[in-house]
């Protein structure tokens, strides 16, 4: 996938906390990822691979230098990925693509086959969700510069709109393991999807615990969807695609590189309602996920730990800085109004969205914070009785929550 300057590491943070994600045995790089399932054993892929414009989306996504922002510019300017792909360099520049990227695009186009990109997905039984597709995750669509394409093995469904990310240290202690197991299992039992990055340590425990509790889990990778890193999580990855999905913005065959992990962490927070750190030192890559969560308006939660134990220093500092202290899954469920998820799912399936619901949610989105009932009546122009009844239904659905006397806040 092409990365634009959105993914460049700040000069003052050259490591981006990735020392906690890379193996100590590989000082010169990260070992290769490996295949984890035979393609024939993978679930049916998501998306219509016969769409004639899909190959060009896949090809554009292979071009280095075309990230989410430039991708959007091309689609908006040319209407389709096919038209953008076939356009001249002069037309790309006229659309707002800089000359350096235009030159690189023209060179790379000669060695990328759109049809071969689609055939690779078919062969590997990997799905692709484009930003314009109805099945593209709702939460991820809301962030700044969402990925143009998500490669998926397994299934992403509307159930995953209720997802909590659990991240933390690779060098998990017995304490961190126990806490992660308990909270992940409780979330899964409440029908909340557990999301993580399939790294060693906390990530592995979170995925495994959700699966053992018969819940759903999504794993976001810093490599292609047909590969797994670390390789010793191959069996776990195969389990995940049967009860959730492997998700990545990197095309098939992409090996993990240090620069891929910040992008991976940004997806983890973008796909979730909130991020929980169960155990992490001060230099953990998990804290990068929390930074992205803050930028995306997601809640950040942390489990406190021993103040003299290095592995809990990151969590304790997060709490000092305003993260919500968590001692059980109930704290997260209550904070995000997720304790009624099963009922909320039934209501969403049974009741179609109304124009009053849309108007109230738009008003709350525009406000960016809580609004009193009287303000909502003024903003929407709806009758007071209809506003009160609709607010009550939206609260039951988990779409908003009461934050004070007759004041409501939108829940993502």
């Amino acid at each position: 996938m092409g990365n634009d300057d959105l993914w460049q590491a700040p000069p003052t943070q050259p490591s981006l906390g990735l020392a906690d994600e890379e193996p100590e045995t590989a000082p010169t790089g990260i070992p290769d990822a490996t295949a984890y399932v035979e393609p024939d054993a993978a679930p049916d892929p998501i998306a219509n691979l016969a769409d004639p414009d899909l190959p060009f989306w896949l090809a554009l996504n292979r071009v280095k230098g075309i990230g989410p922002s430039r991708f959007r510019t091309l689609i908006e300017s040319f209407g389709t990925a096919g038209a953008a792909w076939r356009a001249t360099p002069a037309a790309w520049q006229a659309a707002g693509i800089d000359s350096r990227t235009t030159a690189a695009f023209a060179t790379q186009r000669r060695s990328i086959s759109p049809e071969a990109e689609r055939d690779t997905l078919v062969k590997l039984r990997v799905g692709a969700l484009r930003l314009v597709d109805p099945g593209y995750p709702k939460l991820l669509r809301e962030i700044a510069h969402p990925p143009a394409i998500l490669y998926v093995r397994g299934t992403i469904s509307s159930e995953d709109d209720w997802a909590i990310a659990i991240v933390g240290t690779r060098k998990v202690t017995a304490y961190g393991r126990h806490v992660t197991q308990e909270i992940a299992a409780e979330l899964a039992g409440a029908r909340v999807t557990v999301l993580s990055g399939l790294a060693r340590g906390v990530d592995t425990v979170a995925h495994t615990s959700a699966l053992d509790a018969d819940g759903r889990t999504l794993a976001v990778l810093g490599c292609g969807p047909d590969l797994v890193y670390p390789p010793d999580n191959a069996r776990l990855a195969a389990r995940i695609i049967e009860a959730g999905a492997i998700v990545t913005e990197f095309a098939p065959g992409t090996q993990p590189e240090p620069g891929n992990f910040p992008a991976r962490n940004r997806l983890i927070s973008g796909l979730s309602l909130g991020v929980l750190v169960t155990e992490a030192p001060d230099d953990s890559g998990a804290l990068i996920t929390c930074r992205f969560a803050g930028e995306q308006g997601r809640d950040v939660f942390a489990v406190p730990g021993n103040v003299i134990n290095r592995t809990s220093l990151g969590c304790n500092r997060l709490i000092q800085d305003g993260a919500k202290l968590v001692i059980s899954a109930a704290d997260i469920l209550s904070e995000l109004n997720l304790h009624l998820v099963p009922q909320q799912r039934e209501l969403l399936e049974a009741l179609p969205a109304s124009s009053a619901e849309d108007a109230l949610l738009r008003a709350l989105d525009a406000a960016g914070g809580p609004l009193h009932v009287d303000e909502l009546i003024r903003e929407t122009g709806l009758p007071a009785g209809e506003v009160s009844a609709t607010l009550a239904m939206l609260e039951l659905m988990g779409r908003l929550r009461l934050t004070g006397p007759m004041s409501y806040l939108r829940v993502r």
Side-chain angles (χ1 to χ4, degrees), residues 62-381:
R62 279 282 190 185
V63 178
K64 294 180 179 178
I66 297 181
S69 180
R70 293 183 183 122
F71 204 119
R72 180 185 288 271
T73 295
L74 289 170
I75 297 298
E76 290 177 349
S77 299
F78 294 98
T80 67
W85 183 261
R86 299 186 188 100
T88 64
W92 296 334
Q93 282 195 267
I97 305 300
D98 62 274
S99 58
R100 181 178 177 182
T101 302
T102 294
F105 185 1
T107 299
Q108 293 176 66
R109 181 171 62 173
R110 293 194 289 269
S111 62
I112 298 174
S113 165
E115 292 74 20
E117 292 296 321
R118 180 196 55 207
D119 292 346
T120 295
L121 294 195
V122 173
K123 179 181 177 181
L124 295 173
R125 293 177 65 81
V126 168
L129 284 176
R130 299 169 296 177
L131 187 57
V132 296
D133 291 331
Y136 193 93
K138 181 184 70 175
L139 290 171
L140 192 61
R141 197 190 298 274
E142 295 175 353
I143 72 171
H145 308 295
I149 293 179
L150 285 183
Y151 298 93
V152 180
R153 250 195 184 162
T155 304
I156 293 180
S157 74
S158 59
E159 296 178 66
D160 303 319
D161 291 342
W162 290 272
I164 295 294
I166 301 180
V167 295
T169 180
R170 176 171 59 87
K171 301 174 183 177
V172 64
T173 66
Y175 167 75
R177 180 179 298 278
H178 177 78
V179 170
T180 304
Q181 287 173 334
E182 290 290 320
I183 295 179
E186 290 169 6
L187 289 174
R191 295 185 66 187
V192 174
T193 297
V194 173
L195 194 148
S196 198
L198 202 62
R200 294 185 180 95
V202 165
D203 292 21
T204 296
V205 175
H207 290 303
T208 302
S209 300
L211 291 171
D212 290 346
D214 295 324
R216 286 185 58 80
T217 186
L218 304 182
V220 185
L221 305 186
C223 59
D226 54 325
L227 304 173
V228 63
Y229 174 81
D232 43 295
N233 268 344
R235 184 173 296 179
L236 176 57
R239 288 185 68 194
I240 288 171
I241 63 174
E242 296 297 330
I246 295 290
V247 183
T248 179
E249 61 183 293
F250 298 103
T254 302
Q255 289 290 338
E257 298 177 357
N260 294 0
F261 288 102
R264 186 277 305 265
N265 292 352
R266 182 174 178 269
L267 282 197
I268 289 175
S269 56
L271 283 162
S272 64
L273 292 166
V275 174
L276 168 67
V277 186
T278 54
E279 186 175 42
D282 226 6
D283 61 349
S284 173
L287 304 187
I288 303 302
T289 308
C290 294
R291 189 183 75 190
F292 285 129
E295 293 171 357
Q296 295 163 351
R298 307 301 196 236
D299 286 271
V300 176
F301 304 91
V303 175
N306 190 324
V307 296
I308 61 173
N309 191 332
R310 178 183 176 276
T311 59
S312 289
L313 185 57
C315 289
N316 292 336
R317 289 202 189 283
L318 283 173
I319 294 168
Q320 275 189 324
D321 293 339
K324 298 173 179 66
L325 188 153
V326 167
I327 59 175
S328 73
D331 298 321
I332 299 171
L333 298 174
S334 175
E335 180 67 27
L336 295 179
N337 200 27
L338 296 177
H339 54 288
L340 295 176
V341 165
Q343 295 91 324
Q344 290 164 4
R345 286 180 176 169
E346 291 174 6
L347 282 171
L348 286 173
E349 292 170 1
L351 300 175
S354 68
S355 57
E357 289 175 10
D358 290 341
L360 289 168
L361 292 175
R362 283 197 302 272
L364 287 167
D365 282 340
L371 286 180
H372 190 272
V373 170
D374 292 340
E375 294 175 295
L376 286 167
I377 292 170
R378 286 196 299 270
E379 290 293 326
T380 62

